[in-house]
Amino acid sequence: MVDQHCHGVRRDDPPRSGFEQLVAEGGAPAPPGTTHFDTPAGAAIRRWCAPVLGLEPHASAAVYLSRRAELGAAEVNRRLLRGSCVSAFLVDAGPESPGLLGPAEMGRLGGAVADEIVRLEEVERDVAEAGLPAVGYAGALRDELAARAARAAGLKTVAAHRRWPGSDLFRPSRGSVIAAAGRRLADPKARLADPVLARHLLWAAADVARERSLPIQIHCAFSEDAHGDGASGDAAFGDADPARLTGFVRALAPLGVPVVLVHCYPHHRQAAYLASVFPHVYVDAGLAVALTGAGSAHILRELLELVPFHKQMYGSGCHGAAELCYLAALYHRRGLARLLAGRIAEGEWSVSDAARIAHMIGSANARRVYRL
Amino acid sequence: MVDQHCHGVRRDDPPRSGFEQLVAEGGAPAPPGTTHFDTPAGAAIRRWCAPVLGLEPHASAAVYLSRRAELGAAEVNRRLLRGSCVSAFLVDAGPESPGLLGPAEMGRLGGAVADEIVRLEEVERDVAEAGLPAVGYAGALRDELAARAARAAGLKTVAAHRRWPGSDLFRPSRGSVIAAAGRRLADPKARLADPVLARHLLWAAADVARERSLPIQIHCAFSEDAHGDGASGDAAFGDADPARLTGFVRALAPLGVPVVLVHCYPHHRQAAYLASVFPHVYVDAGLAVALTGAGSAHILRELLELVPFHKQMYGSGCHGAAELCYLAALYHRRGLARLLAGRIAEGEWSVSDAARIAHMIGSANARRVYRL
Amino acid sequence: MVDQHCHGVRRDDPPRSGFEQLVAEGGAPAPPGTTHFDTPAGAAIRRWCAPVLGLEPHASAAVYLSRRAELGAAEVNRRLLRGSCVSAFLVDAGPESPGLLGPAEMGRLGGAVADEIVRLEEVERDVAEAGLPAVGYAGALRDELAARAARAAGLKTVAAHRRWPGSDLFRPSRGSVIAAAGRRLADPKARLADPVLARHLLWAAADVARERSLPIQIHCAFSEDAHGDGASGDAAFGDADPARLTGFVRALAPLGVPVVLVHCYPHHRQAAYLASVFPHVYVDAGLAVALTGAGSAHILRELLELVPFHKQMYGSGCHGAAELCYLAALYHRRGLARLLAGRIAEGEWSVSDAARIAHMIGSANARRVYRL
């Protein structure tokens, strides 16, 4: 199985509060008197990850965390990453953090190959902080994108998540980019917020992606607050409906650059529709699978209502906690197996078709699109 | 069980047309040749409420209404409210109406305790109609909110339903409030429509809620037309997606005021997401449970995909007809029981966890948040 | 059963690439190395249509197409249209095309009666191309609409799909129509894009519909690109949420003109809500049933959560391939039968109620609304 979209997990053993925040969206602590273990993901960790650490299913949170500390982060990560039975990880290293495993380490611990996905906003920040004159911004960005892309399996943007560009996501003029770069370079530490530069970054990335035949992942729906980079500081969740990307996706079509819509929940049906209409659009259910745990089968079922079998991929979207990686893989397999068994039992799909569909979604589509 | 969000039911026995309009959204009669009994809620009334009145299941509408008249409204209300097995009602008295039971009567007939939820827009209307000078509007509103809140369990707004304020729901300046109040006081009988005063009302309520540790309920998704106050006269249903409240919810976070998103269908997944990300956000499925009847189990299932177990509450959202109160409680119990039995059968949740989750959702969360 | 909303199917035998594009939304070929048969609709064709052509279930795509060519389009269309067991087709002839069967031929091959649905945008284009002065545009449009409506069962617009008019879909002034007509008539071959004229067309049609007691179908959600008319060239999919039509639907209410929201997926719950609130609003699930195949039962289940039983209709929304017509009818019957059997088994609905509901949805509602 190919996990076409994940992040590094923490290399150390977090305290309870830190662990709880890793397994909940938003990055905030649970209200007083409650715990993030009382969530679908928390229940799933106690049910399915506990046995991987040698505990009974449904072990209490305290017992789980105590056993986790006893084994140590390296052993826990090794068990959970290997247990996910993933043979290739594509890792968005995101904002670099010494506390998170890099792609090579993810591969080594997980017994898998690993490739890097370049986060566009990180490249842009590096360029903005380099102290260039505004007139050199676009060229430096292009060069840096090309250099980073040369050793990567794909590109990824969280721009769509921050604020959907909507239908006016056209390529900005050279003059407007220079003007905007001037403002940007006066405060390079700030998060990229200028809409002209956000559009410019997407189109510069699209050019590089075309040259190198790389896909671009677009983060939809789920917030990145949990990732600690404050990315969604001013975005409304509702802005993240991938349907709002229709105009951008249509404009990208002539370039032939594959676009992978990741996460997407609760707008996964809209993502499936885009994948069914545009030849270059792909989807995964991302972090929604691990976070909804026992409820995830229904989400996969909805995604599969419309998505062509050659357009869906597996991507855990996990970040920080190897538990999420394990759960995503487990529930992907279980949910898909249950759906396929149902389709076979109803006489809808033949056994060989069902096997072929599972293979396409689990690995073949990703191997084709990322040229693994 | 705590019904954390309901309205009064009619104290008299409505004629057939009046009853039909009580049990359908929108308040309009069914088209000629059809009946509102031919709806999921209508079928559920014939199935489940008929036996409470001593009839066979699936009694015809005519038989049902005839038996209802025979027993009389007081006895019907008593049977249905008690039958819902609710031990505490939190009643939004809404626009006062002599035809509806007040909180104390709801409690007495239902064999339960009852507390009041203050409807913000009613307080504002009372203040607007008091004939003050514009400069005294803000102070009088604050005082009246504080006085009403002193004997209430929580506050509630339907402003979001009328027109989502979106991301610009910031606290307005004192000057802009005085100016807007001047215009408002020239036509105090009108529905509050000024966006400055709508925002002011929300923030004034937030201040009072913080002082008294009260939650604020925000009416999402379902229209209030059925409630006869014409509240949704110019609002598009699509404006009611709770995701559009993200900015407001984020701005409220530092105050620590709990926000309860009520109804939410068909945007309950977005509400669940907000509840999972923001420590102060809670949800209920409201009137969607009674109105969808046999289909409601699936809605609860979707809500439970992501919502933390300590963030979901039970609220019938019922209004006018005690049948809706009874059906909401019945389908909440049945839907949750079926989901929990499934989770246990699949080995996902332990029996004790399942019992604990049912208890949290059915009453413990509301008792904690409303300090009952 | 009444198929209240379909299009003509191709009279000739398309080559494989042409057939694949007929059974996929968007009208684009599948990416290299993939096939549109690897979709839910493709799998359903191999499963269910193959036996209609005398093949084993799950026949390969190549075998299916070879057998299709062997039988010839007329025989294939006859078998599939008859097999759908539809007794009346209401056919949107759309942009006329000699390659597609007209209403009369659809009826003859399908062993059914057939009536025409007038596509508003086609009438407008004919008027625009007639070379009138701007001042005569509105009168000519009204006359042409009335003439076409005189021999039709209903009207249909795809305007909403192109760009939702939102809440400002009011009737434009006479002066603004003349001014806009002047610009329009300078380029009559272009697609109607002027918002004033789009609104004028809707209201002119509403007047005619009222005079003749005809319903207006509004195409929601699904793109028409697959129909080859480029209708959705600049529209975002997200614009197609029927909830955005709330204002227009409310404004139409006093005219008493029935509005039928067609397709609607993935916003069918919003459509169901509108149908539950407004006496003149109806819905069908359209093409979503055939395109999602084995997954369609769940969509029908969601639609039936809230929609009054007297407001849902059957409409295949099929276009081009008779397979879609056959699959829509098959899955409608199977999905509804499964849902009804479940409701009966759970004791929710009586057997006679279930039979009555199936009859209302399958034909009685359409016969009443279209006066068949």
Coordinates of all heavy atoms in Angstrom, one line a residue, chain A residues 207-273:
Chain A
D207 N 4.0 25.3 -13.2 CA 5.0 25.3 -14.3 C 6.1 24.2 -14.0 O 6.5 23.4 -14.9 CB 5.7 26.6 -14.5 CG 4.7 27.6 -15.1 OD1 3.7 27.2 -15.7 OD2 4.9 28.9 -14.9
V208 N 6.5 24.2 -12.8 CA 7.6 23.3 -12.4 C 7.0 21.8 -12.4 O 7.7 20.9 -12.9 CB 8.1 23.6 -11.0 CG1 9.0 22.5 -10.4 CG2 8.9 24.9 -11.0
A209 N 5.8 21.7 -11.9 CA 5.2 20.4 -11.9 C 5.0 19.8 -13.3 O 5.3 18.6 -13.6 CB 3.8 20.5 -11.3
R210 N 4.7 20.7 -14.3 CA 4.6 20.2 -15.7 C 5.9 19.8 -16.2 O 6.0 18.7 -16.8 CB 4.0 21.4 -16.5 CG 3.9 20.9 -18.0 CD 3.3 22.0 -18.9 NE 3.9 23.2 -18.7 CZ 3.7 24.4 -19.3 NH1 2.7 24.3 -20.3 NH2 4.3 25.5 -19.1
E211 N 7.0 20.6 -16.0 CA 8.3 20.3 -16.5 C 8.8 18.9 -15.9 O 9.4 18.1 -16.6 CB 9.3 21.3 -16.1 CG 9.2 22.6 -16.9 CD 9.8 23.8 -16.2 OE1 10.7 23.6 -15.3 OE2 9.4 24.9 -16.5
R212 N 8.4 18.6 -14.7 CA 9.0 17.4 -14.1 C 7.9 16.3 -13.9 O 8.2 15.3 -13.3 CB 9.5 17.8 -12.7 CG 10.5 18.9 -12.7 CD 11.4 18.8 -11.5 NE 12.2 17.6 -11.5 CZ 13.4 17.5 -12.1 NH1 14.0 18.6 -12.6 NH2 14.1 16.4 -12.1
S213 N 6.7 16.5 -14.5 CA 5.7 15.5 -14.4 C 5.3 15.2 -13.0 O 5.3 14.0 -12.7 CB 6.0 14.3 -15.2 OG 6.2 14.6 -16.6
L214 N 5.2 16.1 -12.2 CA 4.9 15.9 -10.8 C 3.4 16.3 -10.5 O 3.0 17.3 -11.0 CB 5.8 16.7 -9.8 CG 7.3 16.4 -9.9 CD1 8.0 17.3 -8.9 CD2 7.5 14.9 -9.6
P215 N 2.8 15.6 -9.6 CA 1.4 16.0 -9.2 C 1.5 17.1 -8.1 O 2.5 17.3 -7.4 CB 0.8 14.8 -8.6 CG 1.8 13.7 -8.8 CD 3.1 14.3 -9.1
I216 N 0.4 17.9 -8.0 CA 0.3 18.9 -6.9 C -0.8 18.4 -6.0 O -2.0 18.2 -6.5 CB 0.0 20.3 -7.5 CG1 1.1 20.8 -8.4 CG2 -0.2 21.3 -6.3 CD1 0.8 22.2 -9.0
Q217 N -0.5 18.3 -4.7 CA -1.6 18.0 -3.8 C -2.1 19.3 -3.2 O -1.4 20.2 -2.9 CB -1.0 17.2 -2.6 CG -0.4 15.9 -2.9 CD 0.3 15.2 -1.7 OE1 0.4 15.8 -0.7 NE2 0.7 13.9 -1.9
I218 N -3.5 19.4 -3.1 CA -4.1 20.5 -2.6 C -4.9 20.1 -1.3 O -5.7 19.3 -1.3 CB -5.1 21.2 -3.6 CG1 -4.3 21.6 -4.9 CG2 -5.7 22.4 -3.0 CD1 -5.2 22.3 -5.9
H219 N -4.4 20.7 -0.2 CA -5.0 20.4 1.1 C -6.4 21.0 1.2 O -6.6 22.3 1.1 CB -4.1 21.0 2.1 CG -4.5 20.8 3.6 ND1 -3.7 20.1 4.4 CD2 -5.6 21.1 4.2 CE1 -4.3 20.0 5.6 NE2 -5.5 20.6 5.5
C220 N -7.4 20.2 1.3 CA -8.8 20.7 1.4 C -9.4 20.3 2.7 O -9.1 19.3 3.3 CB -9.7 20.1 0.3 SG -9.1 20.3 -1.4
A221 N -10.3 21.2 3.2 CA -11.2 20.9 4.3 C -10.6 20.9 5.7 O -10.9 21.8 6.5 CB -11.9 19.6 4.0
F222 N -9.8 19.9 6.0 CA -9.3 19.9 7.4 C -8.3 21.0 7.6 O -7.5 21.3 6.8 CB -8.6 18.6 7.7 CG -9.6 17.6 8.3 CD1 -10.0 16.5 7.6 CD2 -10.0 17.8 9.6 CE1 -10.9 15.6 8.1 CE2 -10.9 16.9 10.2 CZ -11.3 15.8 9.4
S223 N -8.4 21.6 8.8 CA -7.5 22.6 9.2 C -6.1 22.1 9.5 O -6.0 20.9 9.8 CB -8.1 23.2 10.5 OG -7.0 23.9 11.2
E224 N -5.2 23.0 9.5 CA -3.8 22.6 9.8 C -3.4 23.1 11.2 O -2.3 23.1 11.6 CB -2.8 23.1 8.8 CG -3.0 22.5 7.4 CD -1.7 21.8 7.0 OE1 -0.6 22.4 7.1 OE2 -1.8 20.7 6.4
D225 N -4.4 23.7 11.9 CA -4.0 24.2 13.2 C -3.3 23.2 14.1 O -2.4 23.5 14.8 CB -5.3 24.7 14.0 CG -5.5 26.2 13.7 OD1 -4.6 26.8 13.2 OD2 -6.5 26.6 14.1
A226 N -3.8 21.9 13.9 CA -3.2 20.9 14.8 C -1.7 20.7 14.5 O -1.0 20.1 15.3 CB -4.0 19.6 14.5
H227 N -1.3 21.2 13.3 CA 0.1 21.0 13.0 C 0.9 22.1 13.5 O 2.1 22.2 13.3 CB 0.2 21.0 11.4 CG -0.6 19.9 10.8 ND1 -0.6 19.6 9.5 CD2 -1.5 19.0 11.3 CE1 -1.4 18.6 9.2 NE2 -2.0 18.2 10.3
G228 N 0.3 23.0 14.2 CA 1.1 24.0 15.0 C 1.7 25.1 14.2 O 2.5 25.9 14.7
D229 N 1.2 25.3 12.9 CA 1.8 26.4 12.2 C 0.8 27.5 12.0 O 1.1 28.5 11.3 CB 2.3 25.9 10.8 CG 1.2 25.4 10.0 OD1 0.0 25.3 10.4 OD2 1.5 25.0 8.8
G230 N -0.3 27.5 12.7 CA -1.2 28.6 12.7 C -1.7 28.9 11.3 O -2.2 30.0 11.0
A231 N -1.7 28.0 10.4 CA -2.0 28.2 9.0 C -3.4 28.8 8.8 O -3.6 29.6 7.9 CB -1.8 27.0 8.2
S232 N -4.3 28.3 9.7 CA -5.7 28.6 9.4 C -6.2 29.8 10.2 O -7.4 30.0 10.5 CB -6.6 27.4 9.6 OG -6.5 27.1 11.0
G233 N -5.2 30.6 10.7 CA -5.6 31.7 11.6 C -6.8 32.5 11.2 O -7.6 32.9 12.0
D234 N -6.9 32.8 9.9 CA -8.1 33.7 9.6 C -9.0 33.0 8.5 O -9.8 33.7 7.9 CB -7.5 35.0 9.0 CG -6.6 34.8 7.8 OD1 -6.4 33.6 7.4 OD2 -6.1 35.8 7.3
A235 N -8.9 31.8 8.4 CA -9.7 31.1 7.3 C -11.0 30.6 8.0 O -11.0 30.1 9.1 CB -9.0 30.0 6.7
A236 N -12.1 30.7 7.2 CA -13.3 30.0 7.6 C -13.3 28.6 7.1 O -12.8 28.3 6.0 CB -14.5 30.7 7.1
F237 N -13.7 27.6 7.9 CA -13.7 26.3 7.5 C -14.5 26.1 6.2 O -14.1 25.3 5.3 CB -14.3 25.4 8.6 CG -14.5 24.0 8.3 CD1 -13.4 23.3 7.9 CD2 -15.7 23.4 8.5 CE1 -13.5 21.9 7.7 CE2 -15.8 22.0 8.3 CZ -14.7 21.3 7.8
G238 N -15.6 26.8 6.1 CA -16.4 26.7 4.9 C -15.7 27.1 3.6 O -16.2 26.8 2.6
D239 N -14.6 27.9 3.8 CA -13.9 28.2 2.6 C -13.2 27.1 1.9 O -12.7 27.2 0.8 CB -12.8 29.3 2.9 CG -13.4 30.6 3.3 OD1 -14.6 30.9 2.9 OD2 -12.8 31.4 4.0
A240 N -13.2 25.9 2.6 CA -12.3 24.8 2.1 C -13.1 23.8 1.2 O -12.5 22.7 1.0 CB -11.7 24.2 3.3
D241 N -14.2 24.1 0.8 CA -15.0 23.2 -0.1 C -14.2 23.1 -1.4 O -14.1 24.1 -2.1 CB -16.4 23.7 -0.3 CG -17.2 22.8 -1.2 OD1 -16.7 22.0 -1.9 OD2 -18.5 23.0 -1.2
P242 N -13.8 21.9 -1.8 CA -13.0 21.8 -3.1 C -13.8 22.2 -4.3 O -13.2 22.6 -5.3 CB -12.6 20.3 -3.1 CG -13.5 19.6 -2.1 CD -13.8 20.6 -1.1
A243 N -15.1 22.2 -4.2 CA -15.9 22.7 -5.3 C -15.5 24.1 -5.7 O -15.6 24.5 -6.9 CB -17.4 22.6 -5.1
R244 N -15.1 24.9 -4.7 CA -14.7 26.2 -5.0 C -13.4 26.3 -5.8 O -13.1 27.4 -6.3 CB -14.5 27.0 -3.7 CG -15.8 27.1 -2.9 CD -15.7 28.0 -1.7 NE -15.5 29.4 -2.1 CZ -15.2 30.3 -1.3 NH1 -15.0 30.0 0.0 NH2 -15.0 31.5 -1.7
L245 N -12.7 25.2 -5.9 CA -11.5 25.1 -6.8 C -11.8 24.9 -8.2 O -10.9 24.7 -9.0 CB -10.6 24.1 -6.3 CG -9.7 24.4 -5.1 CD1 -8.8 23.2 -4.8 CD2 -8.8 25.6 -5.4
T246 N -13.1 24.7 -8.6 CA -13.4 24.3 -9.9 C -12.7 25.1 -11.0 O -12.1 24.6 -11.9 CB -14.9 24.3 -10.2 OG1 -15.6 23.5 -9.2 CG2 -15.3 23.8 -11.5
G247 N -12.8 26.4 -10.9 CA -12.2 27.3 -11.9 C -10.7 27.1 -12.0 O -10.1 27.0 -13.1
F248 N -10.0 26.9 -10.9 CA -8.5 26.7 -10.9 C -8.2 25.4 -11.5 O -7.3 25.3 -12.3 CB -8.0 26.8 -9.4 CG -6.5 26.6 -9.3 CD1 -5.6 27.4 -10.0 CD2 -6.0 25.5 -8.5 CE1 -4.3 27.2 -9.9 CE2 -4.7 25.3 -8.4 CZ -3.8 26.1 -9.1
V249 N -9.0 24.4 -11.1 CA -8.7 23.0 -11.7 C -8.9 23.0 -13.2 O -8.2 22.4 -13.9 CB -9.7 22.0 -11.0 CG1 -9.8 20.8 -11.8 CG2 -9.1 21.7 -9.6
R250 N -10.0 23.8 -13.6 CA -10.2 23.8 -15.1 C -9.1 24.6 -15.8 O -8.7 24.2 -16.9 CB -11.6 24.6 -15.3 CG -12.0 24.5 -16.7 CD -13.3 25.3 -16.9 NE -14.5 24.6 -16.4 CZ -15.3 25.1 -15.4 NH1 -15.1 26.4 -15.0 NH2 -16.3 24.4 -15.0
A251 N -8.6 25.6 -15.1 CA -7.5 26.4 -15.8 C -6.2 25.5 -15.8 O -5.4 25.7 -16.7 CB -7.2 27.7 -15.0
L252 N -6.0 24.6 -14.9 CA -4.8 23.8 -14.9 C -4.9 22.7 -15.9 O -3.8 22.1 -16.3 CB -4.6 23.2 -13.5 CG -3.8 23.9 -12.4 CD1 -3.7 23.0 -11.2 CD2 -2.5 24.3 -12.9
A253 N -6.1 22.3 -16.3 CA -6.2 21.1 -17.2 C -5.3 21.1 -18.4 O -4.7 20.1 -18.6 CB -7.7 21.0 -17.6
P254 N -5.1 22.2 -19.1 CA -4.3 22.1 -20.3 C -2.8 21.8 -20.0 O -2.1 21.3 -20.9 CB -4.4 23.6 -20.9 CG -5.6 24.2 -20.3 CD -5.8 23.5 -19.0
L255 N -2.4 22.0 -18.8 CA -1.0 21.7 -18.4 C -0.8 20.2 -18.2 O 0.3 19.8 -18.2 CB -0.6 22.5 -17.2 CG -0.1 23.9 -17.3 CD1 -1.1 24.8 -17.9 CD2 0.4 24.4 -16.0
G256 N -1.9 19.5 -18.0 CA -1.7 18.1 -17.7 C -1.1 17.7 -16.4 O -0.7 16.6 -16.2
V257 N -1.1 18.7 -15.5 CA -0.5 18.4 -14.2 C -1.6 17.7 -13.3 O -2.7 18.3 -13.1 CB -0.1 19.7 -13.5 CG1 0.3 19.5 -12.0 CG2 1.0 20.4 -14.3
P258 N -1.3 16.5 -12.8 CA -2.3 15.9 -11.9 C -2.5 16.7 -10.6 O -1.5 17.2 -10.0 CB -1.6 14.5 -11.6 CG -0.6 14.3 -12.6 CD -0.1 15.7 -13.0
V259 N -3.7 16.8 -10.2 CA -4.1 17.5 -9.0 C -4.7 16.5 -8.0 O -5.6 15.8 -8.4 CB -5.1 18.7 -9.3 CG1 -5.6 19.2 -8.0 CG2 -4.4 19.8 -10.1
V260 N -4.1 16.4 -6.8 CA -4.7 15.5 -5.8 C -5.3 16.3 -4.7 O -4.6 17.0 -4.0 CB -3.6 14.5 -5.3 CG1 -4.2 13.4 -4.4 CG2 -2.7 14.0 -6.4
L261 N -6.6 16.1 -4.6 CA -7.3 16.8 -3.5 C -7.2 15.9 -2.2 O -7.7 14.8 -2.3 CB -8.8 17.0 -3.9 CG -9.0 17.8 -5.2 CD1 -10.5 17.8 -5.6 CD2 -8.5 19.2 -5.1
V262 N -6.7 16.5 -1.2 CA -6.4 15.6 0.0 C -7.3 16.0 1.2 O -7.6 17.2 1.4 CB -4.9 15.5 0.4 CG1 -4.1 15.0 -0.8 CG2 -4.4 16.9 0.8
H263 N -7.7 15.1 2.0 CA -8.6 15.2 3.2 C -10.0 15.4 2.7 O -10.8 14.4 2.8 CB -8.2 16.4 4.1 CG -6.9 16.3 4.7 ND1 -6.4 15.1 5.4 CD2 -5.8 17.1 4.8 CE1 -5.2 15.3 5.9 NE2 -4.8 16.5 5.5
C264 N -10.4 16.6 2.4 CA -11.7 16.9 1.7 C -13.0 16.8 2.6 O -13.9 17.4 2.3 CB -11.9 15.9 0.5 SG -10.6 16.1 -0.7
Y265 N -13.0 15.9 3.6 CA -14.1 15.8 4.5 C -14.5 17.1 5.1 O -13.6 17.9 5.5 CB -13.8 14.8 5.6 CG -14.9 14.6 6.6 CD1 -15.8 13.6 6.4 CD2 -15.0 15.3 7.8 CE1 -16.8 13.3 7.3 CE2 -16.0 15.1 8.7 CZ -16.9 14.1 8.5 OH -17.9 13.8 9.4
P266 N -15.7 17.5 5.2 CA -16.9 16.8 4.8 C -17.4 17.0 3.4 O -18.5 16.8 3.0 CB -18.0 17.3 5.8 CG -17.6 18.7 6.0 CD -16.1 18.8 5.9
H267 N -16.4 17.5 2.6 CA -16.8 17.8 1.2 C -16.2 16.8 0.2 O -15.9 17.1 -0.9 CB -16.3 19.2 0.8 CG -16.8 20.3 1.7 ND1 -18.1 20.7 1.7 CD2 -16.2 21.1 2.7 CE1 -18.3 21.6 2.6 NE2 -17.2 21.9 3.2
H268 N -16.1 15.6 0.7 CA -15.5 14.5 -0.2 C -16.3 14.2 -1.4 O -15.8 13.8 -2.4 CB -15.2 13.3 0.7 CG -16.3 12.9 1.6 ND1 -16.6 13.6 2.7 CD2 -17.1 11.9 1.6 CE1 -17.7 13.0 3.3 NE2 -18.0 12.0 2.6
R269 N -17.6 14.4 -1.3 CA -18.4 14.1 -2.5 C -18.2 15.1 -3.6 O -18.2 14.8 -4.8 CB -19.9 14.1 -2.1 CG -20.4 12.9 -1.5 CD -21.8 13.1 -0.9 NE -22.5 11.8 -0.7 CZ -23.6 11.7 -0.1 NH1 -24.2 12.8 0.5 NH2 -24.3 10.6 0.0
Q270 N -17.9 16.4 -3.2 CA -17.6 17.4 -4.2 C -16.2 17.0 -4.8 O -16.0 17.2 -6.0 CB -17.5 18.8 -3.6 CG -18.9 19.4 -3.3 CD -19.5 19.0 -2.0 OE1 -19.3 17.9 -1.5 NE2 -20.3 19.9 -1.5
A271 N -15.3 16.6 -4.0 CA -14.0 16.2 -4.5 C -14.1 15.0 -5.5 O -13.5 15.0 -6.5 CB -13.1 15.8 -3.4
A272 N -15.0 14.0 -5.1 CA -15.2 12.9 -6.0 C -15.8 13.3 -7.3 O -15.4 12.8 -8.4 CB -16.1 11.9 -5.3
Y273 N -16.7 14.3 -7.2 CA -17.3 14.8 -8.5 C -16.2 15.4 -9.4 O -16.2 15.2 -10.6 CB -18.4 15.8 -8.2 CG -19.0 16.4 -9.4 CD1 -19.9 15.7 -10.1 CD2 -18.5 17.6 -9.9 CE1 -20.4 16.2 -11.3 CE2 -19.1 18.2 -11.1 CZ -20.0 17.5 -11.8 OH -20.5 18.0 -12.9

